[in-house]
Amino acid sequence: MVVTLPEGYSFRALELSDYAKYIETLKVLTTVGEISSESFAELFNHWKEHPHIYQPHVIANTEGLVVATGMLLVERKLIHECGKVGHIEDISVAGSEQGKKLGLSMITGLTELAEKQGCYKVILDCSPHNVGFYEKCGYANSGVEMVKRFS
Amino acid sequence: MVVTLPEGYSFRALELSDYAKYIETLKVLTTVGEISSESFAELFNHWKEHPHIYQPHVIANTEGLVVATGMLLVERKLIHECGKVGHIEDISVAGSEQGKKLGLSMITGLTELAEKQGCYKVILDCSPHNVGFYEKCGYANSGVEMVKRFS
């Protein structure tokens, strides 16, 4: 799938200097809480120490500021001849950037990254009302997500 | 939840010497393929080098042989105040061991491990016909699994 970003926008790996805008963009998705620059740097470095597993990405606007987020987590399994599975997590698009197909660009970018690394599949979980969007991204319904939350 | 394993059975971390029975048990779940002891050792060591992320477990019978498998993958996120999420993967029970609630024991064991490590939730994907089983394990439906497979 060929996806064109708006002129001047880029799909790239998360950088340490993305701190404020990365957090701001993720707040569109869910609860983030107060995260200091030190906590962000610690997590960023943890991800960076495991580059084959954690692959956090962003879409940046013409000013280089984060307007969309997405994580590709690559899991090495035993099944499927020691196959790899990509997990897409924490997709979020800034409220002011809706309508530019940035979600589609992010999913396409992460999916291509997973394919290049030899994953045999990519999976993600979504709300029922987002199924249509992911179908447009080339994904198909394959099961049920179950959760247990701890208080 | 208190779950009692059959007398002499144990829930424990995967060991290198589990090679043959671990693979045999996973073949109940899905395609595994031919995996040499060298490939297994390489993957086992990769998992072992990332003990905070990959936590492969088994249930062993009275002879110490693997009769059930399960992986807990712990993901560090930014959302939820740099929260951790447990992913349960690759649950399988040997065909000859059905009816002993080993699946329930495995899920309970992995879920407790995730809680002890401070995960705010544990998630897993399953087929619609397994939803009832996971509800008995204390899990609730929370979304749809979407997949894109590469040929």
Side-chain angles (χ1 to χ4, degrees):
Chain A
M1 185 182 294
V2 177
V3 178
T4 311
L5 284 167
E7 193 173 336
Y9 281 50
S10 59
F11 170 76
R12 61 166 171 79
L14 176 68
E15 296 170 4
L16 187 56
S17 59
D18 290 325
Y19 167 57
K21 284 290 178 184
Y22 186 69
I23 291 174
E24 185 182 314
T25 305
L26 273 167
K27 285 182 176 175
V28 176
L29 175 68
T30 187
T31 305
V32 175
E34 290 305 308
I35 295 172
S36 66
S37 57
E38 291 77 14
S39 295
F40 179 74
E42 196 276 324
L43 179 63
F44 178 85
N45 288 326
H46 174 76
W47 288 344
K48 203 160 185 180
E49 283 161 14
H50 304 93
H52 299 295
I53 301 175
Y54 289 108
Q55 302 176 21
H57 280 74
V58 301
I59 293 174
N61 66 10
T62 53
E63 298 171 67
L65 301 175
V66 175
V67 291
T69 70
M71 170 68 86
L72 175 66
L73 185 75
V74 176
E75 176 197 5
R76 287 189 58 185
K77 286 183 177 283
L78 183 100
I79 61 172
H80 292 272
E81 300 185 0
C82 294
K84 287 189 280 193
V85 169
H87 298 253
I88 288 181
E89 299 281 338
D90 302 335
I91 300 296
S92 192
V93 176
S96 59
E97 299 284 327
Q98 305 290 333
K100 298 179 184 174
K101 301 198 173 178
L102 301 188
L104 180 64
S105 293
M106 175 57 75
I107 296 298
T108 305
L110 296 177
T111 304
E112 287 176 356
L113 268 180
E115 186 173 17
K116 278 182 194 159
Q117 289 167 69
C119 292
Y120 69 90
K121 69 176 181 181
V122 182
I123 57 174
L124 59 86
D125 294 319
C126 69
S127 305
H129 73 267
N130 282 330
V131 167
F133 165 71
Y134 286 109
E135 286 174 344
K136 283 183 199 158
C137 297
Y139 281 70
N141 187 324
S142 67
V144 180
E145 181 196 13
M146 303 294 290
V147 68
K148 184 169 171 66
R149 295 180 192 277
F150 304 114
S151 51
Chain B
M1 187 184 292
V2 177
V3 178
T4 311
L5 284 167
E7 192 171 338
Y9 282 49
S10 59
F11 170 76
R12 62 167 170 80
L14 176 68
E15 296 171 4
L16 187 56
S17 59
D18 290 325
Y19 168 57
K21 284 289 177 185
Y22 186 69
I23 290 174
E24 186 183 313
T25 305
L26 274 167
K27 285 183 177 174
V28 176
L29 174 68
T30 188
T31 305
V32 176
E34 290 305 308
I35 294 171
S36 67
S37 57
E38 291 78 13
S39 295
F40 179 75
E42 195 277 324
L43 179 63
F44 178 86
N45 287 327
H46 174 78
W47 287 345
K48 204 160 184 180
E49 284 161 12
H50 304 92
H52 298 295
I53 301 175
Y54 290 109
Q55 302 177 21
H57 280 74
V58 301
I59 292 173
N61 65 12
T62 53
E63 298 171 66
L65 301 175
V66 175
V67 290
T69 71
M71 170 68 86
L72 175 67
L73 184 75
V74 176
E75 175 197 6
R76 287 189 58 186
K77 287 184 177 283
L78 182 99
I79 61 174
H80 292 272
E81 301 185 359
C82 294
K84 288 189 278 192
V85 169
H87 297 254
I88 288 182
E89 300 281 336
D90 303 334
I91 299 296
S92 193
V93 175
S96 59
E97 300 282 330
Q98 305 291 332
K100 297 178 185 174
K101 302 199 172 175
L102 300 189
L104 180 63
S105 293
M106 175 58 75
I107 296 298
T108 304
L110 295 177
T111 304
E112 286 177 356
L113 268 180
E115 187 173 16
K116 277 181 196 161
Q117 288 167 70
C119 291
Y120 68 90
K121 69 176 182 181
V122 182
I123 58 174
L124 59 87
D125 293 320
C126 69
S127 304
H129 72 266
N130 282 330
V131 167
F133 165 71
Y134 286 110
E135 285 174 344
K136 282 182 200 158
C137 296
Y139 281 71
N141 188 323
S142 67
V144 180
E145 181 195 15
M146 303 295 290
V147 69
K148 183 169 172 68
R149 295 179 191 279
F150 306 114
S151 52

